[in-house]
Amino acid sequence: MIDSGSSEKLRDFSPVQYITPYLLLITGNAGVQKAPASDRPVLFWVFTALAALGAVLAVLRLRRMWNRHQRRALPAWTRFLGLLLALYGLYVAYRVADGIAG
């Protein structure tokens, strides 16, 4: 038989929920690297806005993950995905700040 309790946990929390913040962070990071502020300022700020939106969505996703981990025990891979998202978000924030500084 299938344990309906564990399938509800996995349905409630899936790696698909991480795709949007990752895609926005990846796009913003690539755009900031390819369009420096000195050469193409409009494109740079568009990609900076995408990176900022990705960072906001990452923070919201991590807060939801933290709240779910506080309420019930979830598999360890969910914490690993959260750690990767947080580290990549910090890396993108560093790259954007470096691009702004010049």
Side-chain angles (χ1 to χ4, degrees):
M1 286 203 123
I2 297 174
D3 183 17
S4 63
S6 64
S7 66
E8 285 178 15
K9 285 183 201 176
L10 291 178
R11 204 174 326 131
D12 188 33
F13 192 89
S14 70
V16 174
Q17 298 170 345
Y18 286 96
I19 289 176
T20 305
Y22 271 118
L23 287 178
L24 287 171
L25 288 171
I26 289 168
T27 305
N29 185 33
V32 165
Q33 289 179 12
K34 298 292 181 186
S38 60
D39 295 342
R40 301 180 216 168
V42 174
L43 279 177
F44 176 80
W45 290 108
V46 166
F47 286 116
T48 299
L50 284 175
L53 181 61
V56 167
L57 288 176
V59 167
L60 291 175
R61 175 63 44 216
L62 291 171
R63 285 184 62 203
R64 287 183 190 149
M65 182 199 68
W66 181 258
N67 289 335
R68 286 187 182 141
H69 274 281
Q70 294 298 321
R71 286 186 278 148
R72 63 177 93 124
L74 292 174
W77 59 265
T78 58
R79 290 181 188 211
F80 180 70
L81 284 178
L83 177 67
L84 286 178
L85 182 60
L87 290 175
Y88 190 66
L90 289 173
Y91 171 74
V92 171
Y94 168 75
R95 296 294 297 187
V96 169
D98 187 44
I100 290 172

